[in-house]
Amino acid sequence: MDPSPSLIDRFNNWLKESVMIKLLSIGFLILLLLIPSAWIQSLMEERQARSREVISEISSKWSNGQTLVGPVLVVPFTKIEKTKRWEKNVLVEEVSETVERAFFLPDQLLISGSLHPHVRHRGIFDAVVYDAELEMKATFGPPDFSRWNIPDGQVHWKDATLVTGISDLRGISENPLIKSTAKTYLSEPINHIGVSTQSWQSADQSTSMQGVSTALGWQSKADMFDTLTMQFQLKGSETLYIVPVGKTTEVNLKGSWPSPSFEGSLLPSQEPVISESDFSARWKVLSFNRPFAQQWLNQEQHLGGSSFGVRLDLPADQYQKSIRTAKYGQLIIILAFTALFLVEIAGRVRIHPFQYILVGFALIIYYTLLLSISEHFGFDRAYGLASVSTITLVGLYSVTFLQKRALVLLFSLLMCVFYGFIFVIVQAQDYSLLIGSVGLFLIVAAMMYFSRTIKWYRD
């Protein structure tokens, strides 16, 4: 008769046969694989940051995103202040004169623009820049100084100027053409136009605007024009924003770009028209829709808080999609290990923890493949190539421990379903939560169904 197994042998057998110990070891391996998974996400974010640096470098050499403000009519005047003081028991009156400026915005502003984007390359990175043709028609009412009790004789009509703010003067590629019905005007650059703006994305930072100044050469108020036409040839990168300075501002923009994003405080008043090759959009803004006055004196006026415009997005942001995919990396590992565990239990095969680790490493390396291939061939193609390569590698390796062809095919099919499920979630941004919730519910239901006949406690 064989001797009964020792306590140590029975303990070793229990470790090998215990389902609970197997589950705990798989859970520990999943936690262990979270470390390289976090490294992969950091690598993706680093590559995305590098891409942004290259885009910023290209923009700095071409011209940054443009913000257009104006035109603004600036009319100097003499401010007279009288003060009285006692000097040696005599009341003395002193008169001081200072030259200040009054600013007037147009009653009506019509802007039409055409953008001609193109892509600049720096190594494997791309940046979108554009050339823009802009025409502005501004109608001004007579400047009203009476509200400030300033007589007409104190107004310096001959020094009146028209200023237009442009955030990056390097983008002016041709001399601006500014004219009224009877006259054409010359312009010159200025570093400060008396207004400041802020990005619609940042409410706590304002920037003093630079731009172009046009001397109007008036001799009196009677010389004032009704409508002024301005034409600009501008270069810029990615974005074009406009500040609605008119009592009524109408903007029409079009461009040969298939993936625009309309941003800012105000969306287009009509549904934009976007096709596979171009876009067009129209805004109409009233003075009630903006947080600044129509005219003011001397001090710098903040004209932010109501800018709007268009961003020219690259058709595919592979870094953003790759990072979103990597965030589901833990889910893929959990699903794959769960599927392997169920196959192991149902097929009565033995899978060593080291084999789980190798499968997990293959699932982690998948994301470096995805990132590196997507930088050259785009996200969709990279996802397909990386998925097929990883599923093939894991499937061939599973032959060594699953042994049965049916189990290998079942596991490979499950991996195809998992990667296809993640791809659908990444593509459908607006419905990702709904699709993910329903998909996970169906996956859990399927696992419950196929594991219903497993006897977890052996007789």
Side-chain angles (χ1 to χ4, degrees), residues 177-345:
L177 181 61
I178 303 174
K179 60 182 180 180
S180 61
T181 306
K183 187 176 180 180
T184 300
Y185 303 91
L186 298 178
S187 299
E188 60 181 18
I190 54 174
N191 293 324
H192 186 266
I193 68 171
V195 300
S196 63
T197 61
Q198 67 189 24
S199 168
W200 68 273
Q201 297 171 313
S202 174
D204 58 350
Q205 293 182 353
S206 62
T207 304
S208 294
M209 288 292 294
Q210 56 187 347
V212 295
S213 174
T214 304
L216 300 175
W218 295 344
Q219 298 302 316
S220 66
K221 185 177 181 179
D223 294 332
M224 183 177 176
F225 48 73
D226 291 327
T227 301
L228 191 76
T229 301
M230 311 176 69
Q231 294 179 350
F232 290 95
Q233 303 283 336
L234 281 182
K235 297 188 301 183
S237 300
E238 288 191 292
T239 60
L240 174 63
Y241 296 143
I242 293 171
V243 177
V245 297
K247 274 189 178 179
T248 301
T249 302
E250 295 185 28
V251 178
N252 291 277
L253 292 179
K254 62 180 181 178
S256 53
W257 194 252
S259 54
S261 176
F262 302 102
E263 301 180 335
S265 301
L266 299 163
L267 293 177
S269 54
Q270 298 178 359
E271 187 68 23
V273 178
I274 303 174
S275 68
E276 295 181 357
S277 59
D278 53 25
F279 72 90
S280 63
R282 180 179 181 272
W283 291 262
K284 183 175 181 179
V285 184
L286 304 179
S287 59
F288 302 102
N289 309 137
R290 64 182 202 207
F292 49 85
Q294 190 68 17
Q295 58 189 50
W296 64 94
L297 292 179
N298 207 43
Q299 77 277 8
E300 180 176 274
Q301 177 75 5
H302 179 62
L303 300 185
S306 60
S307 60
F308 58 85
V310 61
R311 174 182 294 275
L312 304 175
D313 295 322
L314 288 170
D317 187 353
Q318 68 270 15
Y319 295 106
Q320 183 179 4
K321 290 183 177 180
S322 296
I323 291 173
R324 290 187 62 206
T325 304
K327 290 179 179 178
Y328 295 101
Q330 296 87 344
L331 178 61
I332 287 288
I333 294 174
I334 293 173
L335 292 176
F337 279 16
T338 304
L340 269 181
F341 175 74
L342 292 178
V343 170
E344 179 180 0
I345 297 298

Side-chain angles (χ1 to χ4, degrees), residues 258-446:
S259 54
S261 176
F262 302 102
E263 301 180 335
S265 301
L266 299 163
L267 293 177
S269 54
Q270 298 178 359
E271 187 68 23
V273 178
I274 303 174
S275 68
E276 295 181 357
S277 59
D278 53 25
F279 72 90
S280 63
R282 180 179 181 272
W283 291 262
K284 183 175 181 179
V285 184
L286 304 179
S287 59
F288 302 102
N289 309 137
R290 64 182 202 207
F292 49 85
Q294 190 68 17
Q295 58 189 50
W296 64 94
L297 292 179
N298 207 43
Q299 77 277 8
E300 180 176 274
Q301 177 75 5
H302 179 62
L303 300 185
S306 60
S307 60
F308 58 85
V310 61
R311 174 182 294 275
L312 304 175
D313 295 322
L314 288 170
D317 187 353
Q318 68 270 15
Y319 295 106
Q320 183 179 4
K321 290 183 177 180
S322 296
I323 291 173
R324 290 187 62 206
T325 304
K327 290 179 179 178
Y328 295 101
Q330 296 87 344
L331 178 61
I332 287 288
I333 294 174
I334 293 173
L335 292 176
F337 279 16
T338 304
L340 269 181
F341 175 74
L342 292 178
V343 170
E344 179 180 0
I345 297 298
R348 295 184 180 276
V349 296
R350 301 290 296 276
I351 304 177
H352 194 274
F354 183 73
Q355 293 171 316
Y356 275 96
I357 290 179
L358 289 181
V359 172
F361 279 146
L363 300 180
I364 294 296
I365 294 173
Y366 161 83
Y367 295 100
T368 62
L369 281 176
L370 175 64
L371 175 63
S372 57
I373 298 174
S374 67
E375 288 184 336
H376 297 274
F377 300 103
F379 176 81
D380 293 350
R381 189 179 299 179
Y383 194 97
L385 290 173
S387 300
V388 170
S389 301
T390 302
I391 293 172
T392 302
L393 175 63
V394 173
L396 291 176
Y397 179 63
S398 66
V399 174
T400 61
F401 51 82
L402 294 181
Q403 299 175 357
K404 297 180 182 180
R405 181 178 298 178
L407 295 179
V408 174
L409 291 177
L410 175 61
F411 179 63
S412 300
L413 179 61
L414 288 175
M415 293 301 298
C416 291
V417 171
F418 296 156
Y419 279 114
F421 172 56
I422 298 300
F423 181 77
V424 172
I425 291 178
V426 172
Q427 295 293 336
Q429 297 186 22
D430 295 336
Y431 300 97
S432 59
L433 179 59
L434 175 62
I435 295 174
S437 302
V438 173
L440 288 176
F441 180 84
L442 294 177
I443 289 174
V444 172

Side-chain angles (χ1 to χ4, degrees), residues 1-77:
M1 174 180 285
D2 295 334
S4 60
S6 65
L7 181 63
I8 296 178
D9 291 335
R10 282 182 292 176
F11 180 73
N12 289 333
N13 291 333
W14 176 76
L15 289 179
K16 293 179 181 178
E17 301 295 335
S18 174
V19 174
M20 181 60 66
I21 294 298
K22 191 74 172 182
L23 286 173
L24 290 175
S25 63
I26 292 175
F28 176 75
L29 293 177
I30 291 175
L31 292 176
L32 195 63
L33 290 171
L34 293 181
I35 299 175
S37 178
W39 292 345
I40 295 297
Q41 289 192 40
S42 298
L43 175 62
M44 290 181 174
E45 292 171 354
E46 179 184 346
R47 297 295 291 177
Q48 185 181 41
R50 173 56 183 160
S51 173
R52 290 173 178 168
E53 289 177 2
V54 172
I55 292 174
S56 178
E57 181 181 350
I58 294 175
S59 299
S60 65
K61 296 180 183 302
W62 177 262
S63 180
N64 292 312
Q66 295 286 9
T67 298
L68 191 66
V69 182
V72 180
L73 178 61
V74 183
V75 183
F77 65 94

